[in-house]
């Protein structure tokens, strides 16, 4: 029963993404779901990367929906996870995002969202919160390690 139910739910999910998703969402679903249907493959790689990176900031970071358009460590890590899922050569935007992470590391080795974000930041990324700083440091360090980048010494 579990396999049949899983197949039905996956089929419905793929149909939903194919119908309602943007180019980036369709490409990500195609990369993550083995034997994806052809209706997920209607976008060109250039379109997908352009859409995925359209909001990349000049400092290499990506904004969060709560960051007022400024680069966020959390949003940058999240976008890196999506770019990696695509399994395509997105070296330039990935390298710029990695540079943003490296340049954001604090002198003590930690990572923390800007204090200016203040109360709009979700709990897991809240500035001046030790638990959030630990999470953000682990998340940023994970992506730096996975992508072969060296944090500041």
């Amino acid at each position: 029963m579990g396999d049949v139910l899983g197949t039905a739910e996956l089929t419905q999910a793929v149909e939903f993404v194919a119908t309602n998703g943007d180019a980036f969402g369709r490409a990500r679903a195609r990369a993550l779901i083995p034997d994806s249907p052809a209706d997920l493959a209607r976008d060109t790689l250039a379109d997908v990367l352009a859409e995925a990176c359209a909001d990349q900031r000049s400092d290499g970071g990506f904004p969060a929906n709560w960051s007022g358009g400024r680069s966020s460590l959390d949003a940058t890590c999240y976008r890196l996870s999506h770019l990696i899922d695509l399994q395509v050569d997105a070296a330039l935007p990935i390298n710029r995002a990695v540079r943003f992470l490296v340049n954001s590391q604090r002198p003590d080795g930690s990572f923390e969202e800007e204090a200016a974000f203040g109360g709009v930041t979700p709990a897991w990324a809240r500035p001046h919160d030790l638990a959030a700083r630990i999470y953000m440091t682990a998340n940023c360090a994970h992506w730096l390690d996975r992508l072969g980048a060296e944090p500041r010494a």
Side-chain angles (χ1 to χ4, degrees):
M1 181 72 176
D3 289 337
V4 172
L5 184 56
T7 301
E9 290 172 356
L10 183 58
T11 301
Q12 287 177 319
V14 168
E15 288 172 4
F16 180 83
V17 172
T19 302
N20 300 294
D22 56 17
F24 187 53
R26 287 188 296 272
R28 189 163 180 251
R30 188 174 63 246
L32 293 172
I33 301 168
D35 303 320
S36 296
D39 55 347
L40 284 177
R42 65 179 186 243
D43 308 294
T44 68
L45 180 58
D47 291 339
V48 171
L49 284 177
E51 188 168 315
C53 300
D55 60 345
Q56 190 170 29
R57 313 296 299 155
S58 62
D59 62 6
F62 288 91
N65 60 359
W66 46 260
S67 69
R70 294 178 305 194
S71 293
S72 156
L73 294 169
D74 187 54
T76 300
C77 290
Y78 184 68
R79 190 65 58 89
L80 281 170
S81 74
H82 288 176
L83 289 170
I84 297 302
D85 284 348
L86 293 178
Q87 301 172 358
V88 297
D89 182 16
L92 181 60
I94 288 173
N95 288 342
R96 291 180 63 219
V98 165
R99 235 177 288 125
F100 168 72
L101 294 180
V102 168
N103 290 335
S104 298
Q105 189 176 25
R106 296 171 167 268
D108 69 356
S110 68
F111 291 85
E112 184 173 55
E113 292 288 7
E114 291 180 32
F117 290 146
V120 299
T121 312
W124 65 85
R126 192 162 290 135
H128 308 300
D129 180 281
L130 180 59
R133 188 176 318 130
I134 291 168
Y135 167 76
M136 292 305 307
T137 300
N139 196 17
C140 292
H142 164 77
W143 287 106
L144 290 174
D145 179 62
R146 180 157 179 202
L147 297 170
E150 290 295 323
R152 265 195 332 242

